[in-house]
Amino acid sequence: MERLLLRPSRSSLRRRIEALWDRLLTGRGQASEEDARMGHLFGLLMVVSTGIVISLTAAFLATFPLGMGSGDTWVAVAFPSAFIPLSIACLVLARRGHLRPAISIYVWSNFAAISAAAWVFDGLRSPAWQLYIWTITIAGTLLTPAYALAMAGGVVAYFFVIFGLQRLGLYRPPLTLGDGLVFIETACQLIMLVAAVGLLTWLNMRSLREALGRLRAEVAERKAMEAEREKLIAELRDSLASVRTLSGLLPICASCKKIRDDQGYWSRVEEYISHRSGARFTHGLCPDCEEKLYRDL
């Protein structure tokens, strides 16, 4: 009995959670179904982004109990932590109907922050280079593939700029992660593997499958409506073909009531009408004729 009482409450709680989740991710004022799909996907990615920065922060903090942390590591913690309010702000902006600006702000803010982190922490050996994967993938998925290509080219150019400056002795990383460099680099690789390669691909494909399913349903509905319309048109044509009407002036004999056709032949009224319509005649007597013909009887 207790299980029966708990099942509806659990089901109701699950529906409430799903409704709240949809409200969190669904924006207002989207111009098209594609924008609505992209808005929902962007909301999911902002949730994933928050999880990424929390994981990065945890990885930096984990270097201290492992004996690999330093004063520079505390500065590094501030970089991912700053993206928690940024992700939330972009999600709120997208829900208010400003999807494209929210995506652009998020992508370019990430790109600039990662570039700054690569410059400040360990230069060419910085774990920040791994984080470009997430930003470039987001740009290619939510904006256009051209953004992804341009950003990838910019990252390569930026790498060689730092390399050239370092070779010329004009650049030296201001801060270093020291003993925790290898640990943080490995953590960044694993986080990007899970988030960008695995989770983002799964979310994007699921979103595309849902959109394809809705499109197939709409196509099937339109085909059914088209078939119904063709059926109605065929029935109407059949009805029109079976209906033949008489119109215009009919020359009729004032005495015998025969009607003259277009060829000049005179036909009885019933023959003329039967030949030109679907009407058929049965003969009888009206009361006046019956009284006139059979008065004696």
Side-chain angles (χ1 to χ4, degrees), residues 53-204:
V53 296
I54 291 175
S55 300
L56 289 173
T57 304
F60 283 117
L61 294 176
T63 59
F64 291 100
L66 295 175
M68 296 180 292
S70 64
D72 293 345
T73 307
W74 286 110
V75 181
V77 172
F79 275 84
S81 301
F83 278 88
I84 296 177
L86 176 65
S87 300
I88 296 174
C90 290
L91 178 59
V92 173
L93 186 63
R95 289 190 71 254
R96 293 181 177 178
H98 306 288
L99 177 61
R100 301 295 175 177
I103 296 174
S104 298
I105 291 172
Y106 177 79
V107 167
W108 290 112
S109 297
N110 265 275
F111 192 83
I114 293 171
S115 301
W119 179 275
V120 173
F121 294 97
D122 295 291
L124 298 178
R125 299 177 59 199
S126 176
W129 297 101
Q130 316 290 335
L131 305 180
Y132 278 118
I133 298 173
W134 173 257
T135 303
I136 293 174
T137 307
I138 292 292
T141 302
L142 299 180
L143 294 175
T144 60
Y147 273 90
L149 290 175
M151 285 184 169
V155 171
V156 174
Y158 183 55
F159 177 87
F160 282 105
V161 167
I162 294 180
F163 176 77
L165 293 175
Q166 189 169 342
R167 293 285 293 181
L168 294 173
L170 300 177
Y171 165 76
R172 183 179 179 181
L175 302 176
T176 181
L177 296 175
D179 296 336
L181 178 62
V182 176
F183 177 81
I184 296 299
E185 184 177 10
T186 304
C188 289
Q189 290 175 353
L190 293 176
I191 291 172
M192 288 298 100
L193 179 64
V194 174
V197 181
L199 188 58
L200 180 58
T201 302
W202 177 75
L203 288 173
N204 193 30

Side-chain angles (χ1 to χ4, degrees), residues 247-288:
S247 61
L249 297 175
L250 298 178
I252 186 170
C253 177
S255 176
C256 66
K257 307 303 182 184
K258 288 183 178 181
I259 298 176
R260 188 184 68 195
D261 58 20
D262 296 336
Q263 288 75 31
Y265 295 102
W266 293 88
S267 303
R268 291 183 302 170
V269 173
E270 56 267 30
E271 292 177 355
Y272 185 89
I273 295 177
S274 297
H275 182 69
R276 288 164 175 77
S277 69
R280 295 295 182 266
F281 289 86
T282 60
H283 292 83
L285 291 174
C286 68
D288 294 337

